[in-house]
């Protein structure tokens, strides 16, 4: 398996598989030509390797078919069919060595039996376990222990020990309730791969420490959970660490190296887009996390950046104010909602964000909002087709765009 | 970094294999060990290569020291279980869930308190101010005790596959209705930040689902004597929609992100430069899907089902009607020249 020519599913950097996996999941289909044209793969060989890797990660879910004499791949999975985020499996293929494997288990066994053990005694015990046909040096063991300490798997205080059990005071029933909560949150909360890890650790804990297996019943269904977010977690987590510690970061954005102070993560639950607001010393930049890679935390002095909330107060989501400091563009739309379709009004009230609604007369409502970029709101207004009329304005072209769209739809549907 | 070698599937499977052998006092046969590793997300040839290394005998041990040779197989080399140890990142994430309002639906206050004390030394993954989540204003108050009680009863009903008697009111007229139903799933809507209970109304003979907003349920009582398998019932409510999407600018990405949760089959028609998408959804999600398709405007055309096509035609007709009927001052009717 070590030959240079040999394919390996295991990878050292998550970035290797991230763009391919994301595209395959979102689009549901791809061809080599399409991926090459879009710049999502660097070579035919890389495409083949990524396909093999994805097939190993999600077995029996990639179908192959011929379309116009070209091999086309399709993902045959549904977030509704399965309760678990199958993309999480992509985080379980990190490359490791035999030493990593042997030391990981040996250290856990020894520390479980002998808490507070000193390094010399630990080295002796590992040597005595005849883990491998080659000897493991003291330095290798020390380095491995440091890695485990950094991960929080081992604590060093009067010798080496396992960290205290955080669930010691919880009853079996409380552990089961916590498992259900984690099962829910791993699909909802940010950095969901940590939720996936915590979930598997808890299941492991319940069966090993409590001899209790949770019932195998799927309880939740989700809409707008956006499973694809998980592939960005490897980038997202260091950005969150930077925000928390107010540290500077170096990162790659669209293949260019940049630096700045991340100050907020913005997540759009509707489209599943995640952005980071970074201050580069002069101005705020709002960048999609999908296009960021190679994030490193710099050791520069920490600096607090003001949150961009005021700066983005006229944003439907991430549009920035115009550079010449023009005031927000005012958009007015009229909603015609009869009494019997109260749910449309409820929806409008729920989704209006910083806009205001005035009941002008029975069944007639005026919606007003100030926006940095009025085009951001158009898809939302379009979803109220049949209930909304956009007011014409010299400040924006929403009326013209919407009218053209409606006109085209009339042609398509033969109205 | 969240991409960790200790989380590799081979580590996870070895842990489970080892702990099961201890707990069940098992002597493992070589083929049992090999079979367990087949679940790893690797190609068969790689699993075989790993197994070969794992089964390599050094002295009387295999599995890099984990197992020791016994009569007719291998037994765990140590008496202790592989301990479940959570990494710092995992604890930070657990602390973050305690910071969310919805946790009240899952954990009692005392449990939250105990966990919070146990994680006191760990840092919080992120403060609320560091992350801005764009979602709609929720109508559900997760601190409401009745909502918490109902939620926990529904959780139990689903876990134990038992029927529940619900007393609920529709927001529209506030009349309390009682139904006995089989709870199928708790449905969480990420944009509205709200929970619904998907049930089969027994009186409707399990033919269609009913969706109950959790905050509209006045009470929920488990009916102890009936147990039914929910999963099969839900499969009967799946519908399919066929749409065509033009391949223009960022539109496909926008559309696919919007539809990322749906089961879909996609075909890219190069000649017409459009995507043909077949989407599967549950009957109770029809309106949500329709709304999403509308947001894509004229770039996305519904081909089937006929009911959705009819609905879009009615909406277009209604637009003509409201535009003509009462054009406001300074507003121009949304009737572009045809």
């Amino acid at each position: 398996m070590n030959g240079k020519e040999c394919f390996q599913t295991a990878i050292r950097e998550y970035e290797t598989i991230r763009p391919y996996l994301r595209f395959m999941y979102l689009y549901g289909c791809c061809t080599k030509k399409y991926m090459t044209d879009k710049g999502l793969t660097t070579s035919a060989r890389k495409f083949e390797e990524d396909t093999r890797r994805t097939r190993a990660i999600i077995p029996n879910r990639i179908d192959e078919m011929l379309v116009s004499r070209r091999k086309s791949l399709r993902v045959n999975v549904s977030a509704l069919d399965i309760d678990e985020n199958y993309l999480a499996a992509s985080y379980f293929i990190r490359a490791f060595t035999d030493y990593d494997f042997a030391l990981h288990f040996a250290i856990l066994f020894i520390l479980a039996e002998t808490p507070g053990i000193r390094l010399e005694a630990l080295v002796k015990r590992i040597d005595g376990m005849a883990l491998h046909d080659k000897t493991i040096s003291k330095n290798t063991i020390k380095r491995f222990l440091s890695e485990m300490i950094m991960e929080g798997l081992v604590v060093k205080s009067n010798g080496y020990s396992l960290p205290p059990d955080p669930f010691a005071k919880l009853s079996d029933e409380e552990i089961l309730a916590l498992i259900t909560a984690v099962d829910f949150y791993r699909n909802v909360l940010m950095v969901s791969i940590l939720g996936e890890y915590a979930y598997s650790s808890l299941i492991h804990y319940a069966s090993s420490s409590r001899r209790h297996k949770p019932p195998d019943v799927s309880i939740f269904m989700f809409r707008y959970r956006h499973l694809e977010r998980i592939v960005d977690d490897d980038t997202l987590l260091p950005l969150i660490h930077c925000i928390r510690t107010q540290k500077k970061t170096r990162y790659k954005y669209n293949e260019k190296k940049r630096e700045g102070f991340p100050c907020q993560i913005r997540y759009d639950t509707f489209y599943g887009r995640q952005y980071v607001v970074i201050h580069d010393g002069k101005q705020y930049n709002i960048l999609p996390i999908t296009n960021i890679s190679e994030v490193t935390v710099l050791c520069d002095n920490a600096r607090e950046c003001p949150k961009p909330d005021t700066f983005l107060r006229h944003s439907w989501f991430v549009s920035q104010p115009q550079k010449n400091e023009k005031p927000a563009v005012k958009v007015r739309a009229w909603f015609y909602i009869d009494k019997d379709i109260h749910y449309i009004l409820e929806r409008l009230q729920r989704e209006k964000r910083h806009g205001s609604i005035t009941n002008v007369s029975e069944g007639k409502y005026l919606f007003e909002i100030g926006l940095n970029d009025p085009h951001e709101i158009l898809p939302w207004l379009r979803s109220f087709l049949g209930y909304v009329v956009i007011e014409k304005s010299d400040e924006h072209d929403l009326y013209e765009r919407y009218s053209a769209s409606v006109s085209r739809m009339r042609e398509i549907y033969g109205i | 970094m969240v991409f960790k070698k200790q989380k590799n599937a081979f580590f996870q499977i070895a842990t489970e294999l080892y702990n099961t052998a201890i707990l069940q006092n098992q002597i493992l046969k070589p083929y049992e060990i090999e079979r367990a590793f087949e679940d790893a997300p690797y190609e068969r040839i790689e699993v075989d290569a790993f197994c070969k290394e794992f089964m390599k005998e050094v002295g009387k041990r295999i599995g890099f020291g984990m197992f020791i040779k016994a009569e007719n197989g291998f037994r765990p080399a140590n008496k202790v279980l592989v301990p479940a140890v959570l990494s710092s990142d995992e604890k930070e994430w657990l602390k973050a869930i305690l910071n969310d309002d919805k946790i009240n639906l899952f954990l009692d206050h005392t449990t939250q308190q105990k966990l919070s004390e146990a994680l006191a030394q760990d840092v919080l993954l992120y403060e609320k101010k560091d992350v801005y989540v764009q979602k709609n204003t929720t109508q559900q108050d997760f601190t409401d005790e009745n909502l918490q009680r109902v939620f926990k009863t529904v959780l139990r009903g689903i876990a134990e596959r038992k029927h529940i008697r619900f007393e609920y009111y529709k927001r529209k007229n506030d009349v309390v209705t009682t139904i006995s139903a089989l709870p199928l799933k708790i449905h969480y809507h990420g944009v509205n930040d709200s929970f619904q209970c998907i049930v089969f109304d027994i009186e409707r003979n399990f033919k269609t689902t009913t969706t109950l907003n959790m905050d509209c349920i006045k009470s929920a009582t488990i009916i102890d004597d009936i147990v039914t398998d929910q999963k099969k019932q839900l499969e009967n409510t799946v519908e399919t929609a066929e749409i065509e999407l033009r391949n223009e600018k960022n539109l496909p990405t926008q559309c696919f992100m919007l539809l990322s949760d749906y089961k879909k089959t996609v075909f890219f028609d190069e000649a017409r430069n459009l995507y043909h998408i077949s989407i599967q959804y549950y009957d109770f999600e029809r309106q949500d899907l329709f709304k999403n398709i509308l947001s894509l405007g004229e770039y996305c055309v519904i081909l089937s089902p006929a009911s959705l096509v009819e609905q879009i035609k009615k909406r277009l007709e209604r637009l003509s009607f409201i535009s003509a009927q009462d054009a406001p001052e300074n507003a121009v009717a949304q009737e572009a020249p045809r």
Side-chain angles (χ1 to χ4, degrees), chain A residues 200-212:
Chain A
S200 70
S201 297
L202 260 169
I203 297 284
H204 175 191
Y205 178 84
S207 62
S208 61
S209 301
R210 305 296 177 102
R211 314 282 198 271
H212 211 106

Side-chain angles (χ1 to χ4, degrees), chain B residues 277-295:
Chain B
I277 310 168
S278 172
I279 309 160
Q280 287 194 359
Y281 56 95
Y282 292 114
D283 57 358
F284 53 85
E285 296 181 310
R286 196 182 303 123
Q287 286 316 311
D288 213 36
L289 175 69
F290 181 64
K291 184 186 80 180
N292 290 344
I293 294 174
L294 282 184
S295 75

Side-chain angles (χ1 to χ4, degrees), chain A residues 9 25 34 92 94 151 185 197 201 218 223-225 265 267 269 336 385-386 390 405 410 415, chain B residues 2 4 7-8 43 46 90 100 132 134 185 253 260-261 275 285 298 315 318 320 326 334 338:
Chain A
T9 301
Y25 173 75
Y34 195 92
F92 292 85
R94 168 80 148 82
E151 289 291 334
Y185 278 107
Y197 289 160
S201 297
S218 126
R223 181 53 70 215
Y224 303 101
R225 72 168 158 172
I265 302 292
Y267 170 47
T269 51
Y336 295 83
L385 179 78
I390 301 171
S405 171
R410 284 201 174 105
I415 301 285
Chain B
V2 288
K4 305 170 194 229
K7 293 292 175 188
N8 186 293
E43 290 195 348
E46 295 174 289
E90 288 168 60
D100 187 82
Y132 172 80
Q134 177 64 66
K185 296 270 182 183
T253 309
S260 76
D261 280 352
Y275 290 91
E285 296 181 310
E298 80 276 23
R315 291 280 197 108
R318 194 178 188 280
S320 304
D326 189 18
Q334 211 82 60
R338 295 171 63 182

Side-chain angles (χ1 to χ4, degrees), chain B residues 210-222:
Chain B
T210 303
T211 307
L212 308 175
N213 282 328
M214 280 286 192
D215 56 326
C216 291
I217 302 173
K218 200 177 155 199
S219 71
T221 320
I222 290 197

Side-chain angles (χ1 to χ4, degrees), chain A residues 324-338:
Chain A
N324 49 12
E325 291 185 3
K326 269 190 183 173
V329 176
K330 205 170 184 185
V331 175
R332 282 157 66 97
W334 298 83
F335 283 81
Y336 295 83
I337 305 168
D338 300 335

